[in-house]
Amino acid sequence: MILGTLMHMLFQYAIQNKINDKQGLNKVLLELLHQKKIISQIYEVNKDEEFILKEASVYLNSIEKWLNDNVLDELKVGKENNNMAEKQNRAHRNFHVVDVCDIEESIWSTKYGIKGKLDLTLQIKMKQCLVKNLSLLNKSTNASAKDSHLTENHIIPVELKSGRTTFSVEHEGQLMLYSLLNKEKSELTKKSDFGLLLYLKDINMKFIKINHNSLKGLLQLRNDLVHCISKNKLSSVKNDERFCSKCPMLTVCSLFNTKKLEYELEAGVDANQQEQDIDLYSDSIIHLNEMHRNYFFKWYKMLELEFGNFTQFESGDDVWWKTKKELESNGNSIFGLRLVEDSTNELERKETAKSNQIVISENYLFEFQREGISVESNLKENDMILLSSVTLNLIGIAQGFIKSINHNKSTFHLTLDKDIQAYLKSNISNHSKSTNTQLQINKHLFRIDKLNHRSSITLNYTNLSKLMIPNERCERLRSFIIDKRMPEFETSLSKQSILKTKNYFKKLNTSQQAAILKSLMAKDYLLIKGYPGTGKTTTIASLISVLIKLEKKVLFTSFTNSAVDNLLLKLIKEEVS
């Protein structure tokens, strides 16, 4: 997962900034490895920078070759270029990339009720004779028609894959949906009904054209899924080992369907077929005993009760279909926002101030002002928001947070995941015949809608599901959490550990000392219990100090942020580093 994320970011940055040499790619890769998000992911998988660099090296040659073969460097195309070999090389290209229109573009389609985030949106120039027959292009054959010199521009989505080349129906179906979203978004792209599937490891690629029969099937599946979700029931399943054996949801699906089939058997519904289906599902959950299954359904019901009716967890579902009046009346939306012309991207400016350094920004800061009569709003600082274009009728062009709001809620500073200035310049030119892009930007109207975090809900359901997976780690966790197996401890500590940490025990009472010693001897887990005011925070702070002294890694979590803050303040006070 971490390698896939890295290669996506590397390729996106390289193609946008025309970096097509090994040295430049290595420099970008090293800069990416120092980003907080990447450092966190490397830590999660218990790897180091050296390991990631070694794994990434396999991709660099392939990426370098593809960029050199297919990305047209306009600096080399001018009249000053008299290199005949280069001119002949360009003439024989079936296609080449002219421009990067967008990276990680988010498209919400109200027409089809689907949304997606495109890895890349590229403007390419392709030989006209090959557009109608993309299969020739996929075979890397050169056009031989008389009009092979004629080309036309297309704006297409590109889906990047970091794994092995499969050209699977799932990958092709995903790209078809992205091509549909891309085609619907702009009239300019109405004839670009195809996209590019690109495997980064070995740089195999395939142009995928929208197949209307396949697309019809995908949209019908989408409608069936929405119907089942709205009715809070299970969708029909394949019950076929070819499809089910590699499905990541096999265990959870088997748990639910086994329960469903047991109810139907009791009711006498098609008993012969139900028994065959139960056999198929039972093989997938044979590793789970009755206690494990009861635990799963008990806590699934608990989660349903906790989150089922909580409106605070609604996450932008109503922005698709509610009117302006309805959205503003609930206090979670604000319309009529304009981007301030001299709004500067502060985060970007701070980074570019460092000379000779690659700048890879993840956040952009912009100022928006609201015109007209003020309306009641529940929006406040640090709220997660969705930014949409009212002028272009595009939902969800960026997401981010409210950094600050003035007292009468007419000026908003938003931290966004997209450079809105660049986005508007690209999209306004595609939608409008006007040549004055800045004037169009000044007149542009936006809206913001509050989004609520669903990550906590998703995390709870995901953790419950993963606990049932048939692997050694989950089996061990089930033995502690469900089977209530008692923890095990070492019989003693090494003399070296005691000598290194003995000074930390002097300020603790007997029970606190015992708790820390027991923690150091624990093989799996330890519970420390105590009434309020008995020194649990002091004990934890001292334990962390001891673990750091012993050169151990420490992860500290809590149910509340304030508890984490209190402990960190205590560690700072004690000068633990």
Side-chain angles (χ1 to χ4, degrees), residues 2 5-10 12-13 27-43 49 348 351 357-364:
I2 172 64
T5 302
L6 262 178
M7 292 305 103
H8 272 64
M9 295 173 72
L10 173 65
Q12 289 166 340
Y13 187 86
K27 190 175 179 182
V28 175
L29 181 59
L30 287 170
E31 186 66 29
L32 287 170
L33 283 171
H34 296 148
Q35 289 200 325
K36 288 182 180 178
K37 180 175 76 173
I38 299 299
I39 291 171
S40 175
Q41 289 186 29
I42 294 174
Y43 180 84
E49 187 176 303
E348 183 79 3
E351 291 183 0
Q357 183 175 339
I358 292 172
V359 177
I360 302 173
S361 277
E362 295 180 340
N363 297 297
Y364 302 87

Tab-separated table of all heavy atoms in Angstrom, residues 2 5-10 12-13 27-43 49 348 351 357-364:
chain	number	residue	atom	x	y	z
A	2	ILE	N	1.880	1.296	0.866
A	2	ILE	CA	2.752	2.457	0.968
A	2	ILE	C	3.509	2.664	-0.343
A	2	ILE	O	3.685	3.794	-0.814
A	2	ILE	CB	3.728	2.322	2.161
A	2	ILE	CG1	4.778	3.452	2.163
A	2	ILE	CG2	4.442	0.995	2.174
A	2	ILE	CD1	4.237	4.802	2.362
A	5	THR	N	1.136	4.163	-2.964
A	5	THR	CA	0.928	5.592	-2.714
A	5	THR	C	2.128	6.403	-3.191
A	5	THR	O	1.976	7.442	-3.853
A	5	THR	CB	0.707	5.838	-1.205
A	5	THR	OG1	-0.409	5.068	-0.761
A	5	THR	CG2	0.436	7.312	-0.928
A	6	LEU	N	3.319	5.937	-2.864
A	6	LEU	CA	4.549	6.629	-3.254
A	6	LEU	C	4.695	6.733	-4.765
A	6	LEU	O	5.025	7.800	-5.305
A	6	LEU	CB	5.761	5.897	-2.682
A	6	LEU	CG	6.370	6.431	-1.388
A	6	LEU	CD1	7.514	5.541	-0.954
A	6	LEU	CD2	6.863	7.857	-1.542
A	7	MET	N	4.461	5.626	-5.466
A	7	MET	CA	4.639	5.619	-6.914
A	7	MET	C	3.600	6.495	-7.612
A	7	MET	O	3.894	7.142	-8.619
A	7	MET	CB	4.569	4.182	-7.456
A	7	MET	CG	5.747	3.317	-7.035
A	7	MET	SD	7.351	4.050	-7.491
A	7	MET	CE	7.906	4.679	-5.911
A	8	HIS	N	2.379	6.532	-7.071
A	8	HIS	CA	1.358	7.433	-7.610
A	8	HIS	C	1.828	8.882	-7.494
A	8	HIS	O	1.790	9.644	-8.461
A	8	HIS	CB	0.039	7.264	-6.843
A	8	HIS	CG	-0.841	6.194	-7.390
A	8	HIS	ND1	-0.473	4.869	-7.385
A	8	HIS	CD2	-2.076	6.247	-7.961
A	8	HIS	CE1	-1.453	4.151	-7.924
A	8	HIS	NE2	-2.417	4.963	-8.296
A	9	MET	N	2.274	9.246	-6.294
A	9	MET	CA	2.696	10.623	-6.049
A	9	MET	C	3.930	10.988	-6.876
A	9	MET	O	4.028	12.097	-7.413
A	9	MET	CB	2.970	10.824	-4.559
A	9	MET	CG	1.732	10.692	-3.690
A	9	MET	SD	2.087	10.718	-1.909
A	9	MET	CE	2.502	12.447	-1.671
A	10	LEU	N	4.866	10.051	-6.996
A	10	LEU	CA	6.079	10.284	-7.777
A	10	LEU	C	5.739	10.529	-9.244
A	10	LEU	O	6.209	11.497	-9.855
A	10	LEU	CB	7.014	9.078	-7.643
A	10	LEU	CG	8.266	9.084	-8.535
A	10	LEU	CD1	9.190	10.225	-8.158
A	10	LEU	CD2	9.003	7.748	-8.443
A	12	GLN	N	2.841	11.394	-10.591
A	12	GLN	CA	2.041	12.604	-10.758
A	12	GLN	C	2.908	13.860	-10.725
A	12	GLN	O	2.752	14.760	-11.553
A	12	GLN	CB	0.963	12.666	-9.665
A	12	GLN	CG	-0.139	11.634	-9.836
A	12	GLN	CD	-1.003	11.487	-8.592
A	12	GLN	OE1	-0.596	11.863	-7.499
A	12	GLN	NE2	-2.193	10.940	-8.752
A	13	TYR	N	3.829	13.910	-9.772
A	13	TYR	CA	4.690	15.087	-9.656
A	13	TYR	C	5.641	15.175	-10.850
A	13	TYR	O	5.870	16.258	-11.402
A	13	TYR	CB	5.503	15.033	-8.357
A	13	TYR	CG	6.278	16.301	-8.096
A	13	TYR	CD1	5.698	17.374	-7.438
A	13	TYR	CD2	7.596	16.440	-8.534
A	13	TYR	CE1	6.405	18.548	-7.210
A	13	TYR	CE2	8.311	17.602	-8.317
A	13	TYR	CZ	7.709	18.658	-7.654
A	13	TYR	OH	8.404	19.811	-7.453
A	27	LYS	N	15.386	12.340	-6.639
A	27	LYS	CA	15.290	13.509	-5.770
A	27	LYS	C	13.851	13.698	-5.273
A	27	LYS	O	13.616	13.969	-4.092
A	27	LYS	CB	15.761	14.755	-6.522
A	27	LYS	CG	15.939	15.990	-5.649
A	27	LYS	CD	16.517	17.144	-6.448
A	27	LYS	CE	16.665	18.383	-5.562
A	27	LYS	NZ	17.185	19.542	-6.341
A	28	VAL	N	12.890	13.525	-6.188
A	28	VAL	CA	11.475	13.640	-5.810
A	28	VAL	C	11.098	12.536	-4.826
A	28	VAL	O	10.393	12.775	-3.841
A	28	VAL	CB	10.570	13.562	-7.061
A	28	VAL	CG1	9.095	13.569	-6.660
A	28	VAL	CG2	10.851	14.726	-8.002
A	29	LEU	N	11.583	11.323	-5.088
A	29	LEU	CA	11.280	10.185	-4.215
A	29	LEU	C	11.776	10.433	-2.790
A	29	LEU	O	11.049	10.177	-1.808
A	29	LEU	CB	11.916	8.916	-4.786
A	29	LEU	CG	11.676	7.621	-4.019
A	29	LEU	CD1	10.192	7.316	-3.911
A	29	LEU	CD2	12.408	6.455	-4.689
A	30	LEU	N	12.983	10.948	-2.667
A	30	LEU	CA	13.538	11.240	-1.332
A	30	LEU	C	12.728	12.319	-0.623
A	30	LEU	O	12.504	12.250	0.591
A	30	LEU	CB	14.998	11.677	-1.464
A	30	LEU	CG	16.005	10.566	-1.814
A	30	LEU	CD1	17.358	11.157	-2.161
A	30	LEU	CD2	16.134	9.570	-0.659
A	31	GLU	N	12.279	13.316	-1.380
A	31	GLU	CA	11.464	14.381	-0.784
A	31	GLU	C	10.120	13.831	-0.302
A	31	GLU	O	9.629	14.183	0.767
A	31	GLU	CB	11.239	15.493	-1.815
A	31	GLU	CG	10.538	16.728	-1.278
A	31	GLU	CD	11.368	17.487	-0.261
A	31	GLU	OE1	12.617	17.433	-0.335
A	31	GLU	OE2	10.764	18.127	0.616
A	32	LEU	N	9.544	12.928	-1.084
A	32	LEU	CA	8.274	12.306	-0.698
A	32	LEU	C	8.422	11.490	0.584
A	32	LEU	O	7.528	11.477	1.431
A	32	LEU	CB	7.762	11.408	-1.826
A	32	LEU	CG	7.187	12.102	-3.064
A	32	LEU	CD1	6.957	11.107	-4.181
A	32	LEU	CD2	5.885	12.811	-2.717
A	33	LEU	N	9.535	10.811	0.720
A	33	LEU	CA	9.767	9.967	1.896
A	33	LEU	C	9.842	10.773	3.190
A	33	LEU	O	9.689	10.215	4.277
A	33	LEU	CB	11.064	9.168	1.722
A	33	LEU	CG	10.984	7.966	0.785
A	33	LEU	CD1	12.357	7.386	0.528
A	33	LEU	CD2	10.065	6.895	1.358
A	34	HIS	N	10.056	12.087	3.094
A	34	HIS	CA	10.153	12.924	4.282
A	34	HIS	C	8.832	13.616	4.618
A	34	HIS	O	8.786	14.419	5.544
A	34	HIS	CB	11.265	13.971	4.077
A	34	HIS	CG	12.623	13.358	3.938
A	34	HIS	ND1	13.630	13.902	3.170
A	34	HIS	CD2	13.126	12.202	4.446
A	34	HIS	CE1	14.704	13.138	3.227
A	34	HIS	NE2	14.418	12.090	3.993
A	35	GLN	N	7.781	13.315	3.861
A	35	GLN	CA	6.467	13.881	4.185
A	35	GLN	C	5.860	13.135	5.370
A	35	GLN	O	6.017	11.919	5.500
A	35	GLN	CB	5.526	13.785	2.983
A	35	GLN	CG	5.882	14.737	1.860
A	35	GLN	CD	4.712	14.976	0.934
A	35	GLN	OE1	3.919	14.088	0.680
A	35	GLN	NE2	4.596	16.187	0.426
A	36	LYS	N	5.141	13.880	6.201
A	36	LYS	CA	4.576	13.290	7.427
A	36	LYS	C	3.681	12.103	7.124
A	36	LYS	O	3.724	11.077	7.798
A	36	LYS	CB	3.790	14.361	8.195
A	36	LYS	CG	4.665	15.408	8.868
A	36	LYS	CD	3.819	16.409	9.640
A	36	LYS	CE	4.709	17.457	10.303
A	36	LYS	NZ	3.901	18.472	11.029
A	37	LYS	N	2.845	12.234	6.099
A	37	LYS	CA	1.906	11.164	5.760
A	37	LYS	C	2.646	9.881	5.399
A	37	LYS	O	2.263	8.783	5.832
A	37	LYS	CB	1.026	11.615	4.596
A	37	LYS	CG	0.002	10.590	4.144
A	37	LYS	CD	-0.919	11.141	3.078
A	37	LYS	CE	-0.231	11.217	1.745
A	37	LYS	NZ	-1.161	11.588	0.643
A	38	ILE	N	3.717	10.017	4.620
A	38	ILE	CA	4.480	8.848	4.183
A	38	ILE	C	5.259	8.246	5.345
A	38	ILE	O	5.309	7.018	5.512
A	38	ILE	CB	5.435	9.229	3.034
A	38	ILE	CG1	4.638	9.751	1.827
A	38	ILE	CG2	6.293	8.050	2.634
A	38	ILE	CD1	3.681	8.751	1.232
A	39	ILE	N	5.866	9.101	6.178
A	39	ILE	CA	6.607	8.614	7.356
A	39	ILE	C	5.680	7.796	8.244
A	39	ILE	O	6.045	6.719	8.744
A	39	ILE	CB	7.212	9.795	8.144
A	39	ILE	CG1	8.331	10.455	7.335
A	39	ILE	CG2	7.756	9.324	9.497
A	39	ILE	CD1	8.835	11.755	7.922
A	40	SER	N	4.460	8.286	8.429
A	40	SER	CA	3.477	7.583	9.259
A	40	SER	C	3.144	6.215	8.677
A	40	SER	O	3.075	5.221	9.405
A	40	SER	CB	2.207	8.439	9.361
A	40	SER	OG	1.199	7.751	10.055
A	41	GLN	N	2.971	6.143	7.355
A	41	GLN	CA	2.626	4.869	6.713
A	41	GLN	C	3.794	3.882	6.773
A	41	GLN	O	3.590	2.680	6.939
A	41	GLN	CB	2.212	5.112	5.264
A	41	GLN	CG	0.863	5.807	5.128
A	41	GLN	CD	0.411	5.918	3.685
A	41	GLN	OE1	0.747	5.100	2.849
A	41	GLN	NE2	-0.350	6.961	3.395
A	42	ILE	N	5.024	4.392	6.614
A	42	ILE	CA	6.206	3.516	6.721
A	42	ILE	C	6.294	2.930	8.120
A	42	ILE	O	6.592	1.742	8.312
A	42	ILE	CB	7.496	4.302	6.373
A	42	ILE	CG1	7.488	4.707	4.891
A	42	ILE	CG2	8.734	3.469	6.676
A	42	ILE	CD1	8.637	5.611	4.501
A	43	TYR	N	6.002	3.774	9.116
A	43	TYR	CA	6.027	3.324	10.510
A	43	TYR	C	4.960	2.243	10.745
A	43	TYR	O	5.202	1.246	11.426
A	43	TYR	CB	5.789	4.514	11.441
A	43	TYR	CG	5.785	4.163	12.914
A	43	TYR	CD1	6.983	4.066	13.622
A	43	TYR	CD2	4.595	3.922	13.591
A	43	TYR	CE1	6.990	3.735	14.968
A	43	TYR	CE2	4.590	3.595	14.948
A	43	TYR	CZ	5.797	3.501	15.621
A	43	TYR	OH	5.797	3.171	16.952
A	49	GLU	N	13.341	3.468	5.556
A	49	GLU	CA	13.537	4.192	4.292
A	49	GLU	C	14.353	3.372	3.306
A	49	GLU	O	14.068	3.365	2.100
A	49	GLU	CB	14.226	5.532	4.586
A	49	GLU	CG	14.321	6.447	3.384
A	49	GLU	CD	14.924	7.800	3.740
A	49	GLU	OE1	14.379	8.494	4.626
A	49	GLU	OE2	15.950	8.143	3.125
A	348	GLU	N	2.005	27.326	0.239
A	348	GLU	CA	2.912	27.161	-0.902
A	348	GLU	C	4.040	28.177	-0.839
A	348	GLU	O	5.190	27.866	-1.111
A	348	GLU	CB	2.103	27.333	-2.196
A	348	GLU	CG	2.894	27.117	-3.467
A	348	GLU	CD	3.093	25.648	-3.768
A	348	GLU	OE1	2.565	24.807	-3.026
A	348	GLU	OE2	3.802	25.354	-4.730
A	351	GLU	N	6.862	27.282	1.448
A	351	GLU	CA	7.701	26.196	0.962
A	351	GLU	C	8.616	26.656	-0.171
A	351	GLU	O	9.777	26.298	-0.234
A	351	GLU	CB	6.826	25.033	0.497
A	351	GLU	CG	6.125	24.335	1.656
A	351	GLU	CD	5.325	23.136	1.201
A	351	GLU	OE1	5.315	22.854	-0.001
A	351	GLU	OE2	4.716	22.488	2.046
A	357	GLN	N	14.717	23.586	-3.702
A	357	GLN	CA	14.059	22.459	-3.034
A	357	GLN	C	12.786	22.101	-3.787
A	357	GLN	O	12.046	22.968	-4.244
A	357	GLN	CB	13.708	22.817	-1.595
A	357	GLN	CG	13.088	21.655	-0.828
A	357	GLN	CD	12.857	21.996	0.625
A	357	GLN	OE1	13.471	22.901	1.149
A	357	GLN	NE2	11.976	21.264	1.262
A	358	ILE	N	12.564	20.816	-3.946
A	358	ILE	CA	11.342	20.357	-4.600
A	358	ILE	C	10.165	20.640	-3.685
A	358	ILE	O	10.185	20.306	-2.501
A	358	ILE	CB	11.434	18.847	-4.905
A	358	ILE	CG1	12.489	18.616	-5.986
A	358	ILE	CG2	10.102	18.288	-5.336
A	358	ILE	CD1	12.800	17.177	-6.245
A	359	VAL	N	9.130	21.261	-4.235
A	359	VAL	CA	7.956	21.626	-3.436
A	359	VAL	C	6.823	20.663	-3.747
A	359	VAL	O	6.384	20.559	-4.879
A	359	VAL	CB	7.507	23.074	-3.748
A	359	VAL	CG1	6.255	23.414	-2.967
A	359	VAL	CG2	8.630	24.049	-3.410
A	360	ILE	N	6.392	19.920	-2.752
A	360	ILE	CA	5.268	19.003	-2.912
A	360	ILE	C	4.225	19.385	-1.870
A	360	ILE	O	4.320	18.996	-0.710
A	360	ILE	CB	5.715	17.538	-2.740
A	360	ILE	CG1	6.818	17.204	-3.745
A	360	ILE	CG2	4.531	16.599	-2.923
A	360	ILE	CD1	7.447	15.860	-3.568
A	361	SER	N	3.249	20.183	-2.303
A	361	SER	CA	2.241	20.681	-1.361
A	361	SER	C	1.044	19.737	-1.309
A	361	SER	O	0.641	19.173	-2.313
A	361	SER	CB	1.755	22.067	-1.786
A	361	SER	OG	2.639	23.048	-1.344
A	362	GLU	N	0.497	19.599	-0.141
A	362	GLU	CA	-0.717	18.811	0.031
A	362	GLU	C	-1.899	19.705	0.383
A	362	GLU	O	-3.038	19.298	0.285
A	362	GLU	CB	-0.515	17.773	1.139
A	362	GLU	CG	0.534	16.732	0.795
A	362	GLU	CD	0.710	15.721	1.908
A	362	GLU	OE1	0.327	16.018	3.047
A	362	GLU	OE2	1.234	14.636	1.640
A	363	ASN	N	-1.626	20.943	0.811
A	363	ASN	CA	-2.689	21.844	1.249
A	363	ASN	C	-2.486	23.231	0.651
A	363	ASN	O	-1.347	23.674	0.450
A	363	ASN	CB	-2.702	21.949	2.781
A	363	ASN	CG	-3.003	20.618	3.435
A	363	ASN	OD1	-4.069	20.067	3.244
A	363	ASN	ND2	-2.051	20.083	4.172
A	364	TYR	N	-3.600	23.909	0.396
A	364	TYR	CA	-3.574	25.251	-0.181
A	364	TYR	C	-4.534	26.128	0.617
A	364	TYR	O	-5.643	25.702	0.953
A	364	TYR	CB	-3.991	25.206	-1.654
A	364	TYR	CG	-3.126	24.302	-2.496
A	364	TYR	CD1	-3.413	22.936	-2.608
A	364	TYR	CD2	-2.021	24.799	-3.165
A	364	TYR	CE1	-2.620	22.106	-3.373
A	364	TYR	CE2	-1.218	23.972	-3.941
A	364	TYR	CZ	-1.521	22.620	-4.045
A	364	TYR	OH	-0.726	21.798	-4.799
